Amino acid sequence: KKDKKDKDVKVIKRAKWGLSESTKKELGAAYEKAESLFFLLYNSIPGRLVRVVLAVYMCYAVRPYAVEFNEYCRRLAQGMSNPSIVYKAQLNNGQTIIMNDYLDAYFWLRDKTPKDARVMAWWDYGYQITGISDRTTIADGNTWNHEHIATLGKMFASPEAESHDLVRHVADYVLVWTGGGGDDLAKSPHMARIGNSVYPGLCPGDPTCRMFGFMDRQGTPTPMMERSMLYKLIMHNRRPGVTANETMWREVYSSKYQKVRIFKVLKVSKKSRNWLADPANRICDAPGSWYCVGQYPEALQPLISSRVSFKQLEDFNRGGGDSKYQEQYMKRMAGESVSNEDRGAMMEFYKAYAPQSKEGAAWENTELTTHLWNTIKANDLDGMKALLKTAPTAVHTRSQDGRGPLWWAYEFGRPEMRKLLISAGVDKDAKDSRGIKAGDLEAGGEKKKKKKKSKKKKDEM
């Protein structure tokens, strides 16, 4: 027993501390032989030929990526070497031009406006207006004052008359970027969301302001967008039926390639202008200092007093900020369901996409088709009832492939949803792009089940 115990102890120690000396020597000798054999083959003529072939193959395989990377670097260097407001461009006819619309617009402000003119534009262009035009701008890239940027966003996104009643107290001109690409319409969702973060009434019950945008690829604006000052100024006389109110604005400049438009603000408040120009009304950190946080004129105090103090997301994570707003915002951005409180506002948004009638329903993918598909997939009967109550004609909505809510109700196997849609007046005889009725989907499914059952019976027999 003692010998066996000693033997077991040795085995345990060997397992704990490693291999035996003899085994180590054997492995070392094997490794040396393998190493010498490897270098013998590596330095032999066949080995060298294999290495050359592999090197050539790798160079050949990598060459397309190297060429692509080189071309990317060239384009990037060319793009970064051009000034951001002057660059080369091509017209539809292939002609190469120098696009200097932005620079020309800033020069126009410098040469054609009074020295004390105040220019309102989205904050992106603030430094350019100050540096090139030498004019006072309402906001610039120093965006530390979120509430002020939100006030600017509210002015752009609000209905035209409401916006003018605010703008006339702080600005003499309004400059907008137009012409597509990164113009102000492309930035409009940010304007509305930032404005809504401080002025929640801008997009009631909708933290992401989805109601401020466009309904299709043809640029059909939502009702909120269509009423806004931003849309009126950008599309003034460029889209049929869209004009800026001539008693509020007068267009004084349009760039050569329609990238910039400048409007003079009419009925500017002299009282507010004089008040702002008075040095006594400036709040600075020291007499004569350049750092002055500024004040709003008395006429804007009702607006300013209504805003909600906003803290950035970092403060929200530490327990500060408007938690309710932030929670709604994050849920909406993540595509999660919304509360009953803001569902009504969303239904009004989707109503804008609903067809006027069954006959007038266009076949296209929109925000409404996506919402209907998700609602039916989730079998959200309450959500569907709320939508149909606000927009009864939504049952006639058709996606690009000609299908609509009734097709999806059959596809997902939602009998209660089908009953709801049929009672709401959906067309049961409508066909999609392939000539298939919604009811055919169920019939096809039943035929397949019957075939399987009959085949199973035959196998059993």
Side-chain angles (χ1 to χ4, degrees):
K1 288 183 180 178
K2 186 179 179 184
D3 293 341
K4 185 179 179 183
K5 187 176 180 181
D6 292 341
K7 188 176 180 182
D8 291 342
V9 170
K10 289 179 181 179
V11 170
I12 292 170
K13 285 183 177 181
R14 189 178 298 164
K16 184 176 180 180
W17 297 109
L19 302 172
S20 63
E21 291 299 324
S22 60
T23 304
K24 287 181 179 179
K25 288 180 181 180
E26 290 175 2
L27 290 174
Y31 175 80
E32 288 177 1
K33 288 181 180 179
E35 185 179 28
S36 61
L37 180 61
F38 171 78
F39 282 111
L40 181 65
L41 293 172
Y42 184 81
N43 293 316
S44 66
I45 293 177
R48 291 178 182 179
L49 287 174
V50 170
R51 281 189 285 158
V52 170
V53 170
L54 286 174
V56 171
Y57 174 76
M58 289 182 65
C59 291
Y60 179 78
V62 171
R63 184 179 177 280
Y65 300 101
V67 172
E68 183 182 354
F69 180 72
N70 179 67
E71 179 62 21
Y72 169 77
C73 292
R74 188 192 66 78
R75 291 197 307 269
L76 185 64
Q78 187 178 25
M80 295 182 70
S81 64
N82 288 328
S84 60
I85 59 173
V86 180
Y87 55 89
K88 279 186 179 182
Q90 272 194 338
L91 300 179
N92 292 333
N93 60 8
Q95 179 187 354
T96 301
I97 61 168
I98 298 298
M99 177 63 71
N100 59 351
D101 275 28
Y102 308 109
L103 187 61
D104 287 346
Y106 298 143
F107 283 160
W108 186 92
L109 283 173
R110 182 194 64 187
D111 300 334
K112 302 294 183 179
T113 62
K115 288 279 188 182
D116 60 349
R118 302 161 301 169
V119 182
M120 175 178 164
W122 189 233
W123 65 265
D124 295 30
Y125 331 125
Y127 285 141
Q128 296 173 1
I129 293 171
T130 301
I132 300 173
S133 304
D134 192 23
R135 293 295 179 269
T136 298
T137 183
I138 305 303
D140 54 36
N142 184 11
T143 57
W144 61 271
N145 189 339
H146 180 87
E147 283 81 3
H148 179 64
I149 301 301
T151 303
L152 191 65
K154 176 176 172 56
M155 291 179 180
F156 274 114
S158 294
E160 182 183 20
E162 182 182 336
S163 294
H164 178 266
D165 197 41
L166 302 173
V167 174
R168 73 188 193 90
H169 291 287
V170 294
D172 303 298
Y173 296 88
V174 177
L175 179 147
V176 289
W177 277 25
T178 65
D183 67 0
D184 284 341
L185 286 181
K187 299 181 179 76
S188 61
H190 304 292
M191 298 181 188
R193 289 173 187 173
I194 294 172
N196 193 54
S197 67
V198 172
Y199 301 96
L202 182 62
C203 303
D206 182 17
T208 56
C209 283
R210 293 177 66 184
M211 60 183 69
F212 188 70
F214 298 90
M215 296 189 284
D216 52 39
R217 293 182 180 180
Q218 288 70 45
T220 304
T222 59
M224 182 180 175
M225 172 63 78
E226 189 174 24
R227 294 191 297 266
S228 69
M229 178 194 79
L230 179 69
Y231 185 78
K232 295 283 188 182
L233 297 187
I234 290 178
M235 290 299 178
H236 173 65
N237 289 337
R238 289 185 182 172
R239 188 162 189 146
V242 182
T243 56
N245 192 318
E246 294 180 354
T247 66
M248 301 176 185
W249 330 92
R250 184 173 73 246
E251 185 174 18
V252 291
Y253 179 81
S254 182
S255 62
K256 182 178 180 180
Y257 297 106
Q258 301 183 349
K259 289 291 186 181
V260 183
R261 305 183 83 171
I262 301 174
F263 290 82
K264 181 174 175 56
V265 183
L266 304 181
K267 300 179 182 179
V268 171
S269 172
K270 293 182 180 179
K271 181 181 178 181
S272 296
R273 200 180 200 289
N274 294 334
W275 188 90
L276 288 169
D278 187 350
N281 294 319
R282 296 175 185 168
I283 301 177
C284 304
D285 62 341
S289 171
W290 61 269
Y291 179 72
C292 305
V293 295
Q295 294 189 81
Y296 295 97
E298 185 180 355
L300 292 187
Q301 288 310 312
L303 171 71
I304 302 306
S305 61
S306 71
R307 65 188 184 185
V308 177
S309 178
F310 180 88
K311 293 184 178 180
Q312 298 295 337
L313 186 60
E314 290 80 5
D315 291 331
F316 170 67
N317 288 334
R318 291 196 294 266
D322 187 346
S323 59
K324 184 179 179 181
Y325 170 85
Q326 285 284 356
E327 287 170 6
Q328 289 180 348
Y329 182 89
M330 293 305 176
K331 284 183 178 180
R332 188 65 54 75
M333 291 300 288
E336 296 182 24
S337 59
V338 297
S339 64
N340 291 329
E341 185 179 348
D342 66 357
R343 177 172 274 171
M346 289 304 299
M347 294 306 105
E348 288 294 331
F349 166 71
Y350 291 122
K351 183 180 178 181
Y353 293 91
Q356 297 296 319
S357 63
K358 179 176 70 174
E359 294 76 16
W363 291 16
E364 59 184 359
N365 297 329
T366 65
E367 292 273 1
L368 179 56
T369 56
T370 302
H371 177 71
L372 283 166
W373 190 88
N374 287 326
T375 300
I376 294 168
K377 182 183 179 183
N379 203 24
D380 183 4
L381 291 170
D382 291 335
M384 182 62 74
K385 289 176 183 177
L387 175 61
L388 296 179
K389 183 179 179 180
T390 306
T393 57
V395 292
H396 305 306
T397 303
R398 308 286 286 276
S399 61
Q400 198 171 23
D401 60 2
R403 296 195 171 188
L406 190 58
W407 278 267
W408 302 325
Y410 275 107
E411 285 177 342
F412 290 117
R414 306 287 187 241
E416 294 298 321
M417 191 68 75
R418 294 201 300 264
K419 291 179 183 178
L420 176 61
L421 294 169
I422 292 170
S423 65
V426 69
D427 186 0
K428 296 187 290 183
D429 297 322
K431 297 180 180 180
D432 65 8
S433 59
R434 295 185 294 169
I436 299 174
K437 296 180 182 180
D440 294 339
L441 300 178
E442 183 184 43
E446 288 177 354
K447 287 177 183 177
K448 288 179 182 178
K449 287 180 182 178
K450 287 179 180 178
K451 285 182 179 179
K452 286 183 179 179
K453 286 181 179 179
S454 62
K455 186 179 180 181
K456 188 176 181 182
K457 286 182 180 179
K458 286 180 181 179
D459 292 340
E460 289 175 354
M461 292 174 67

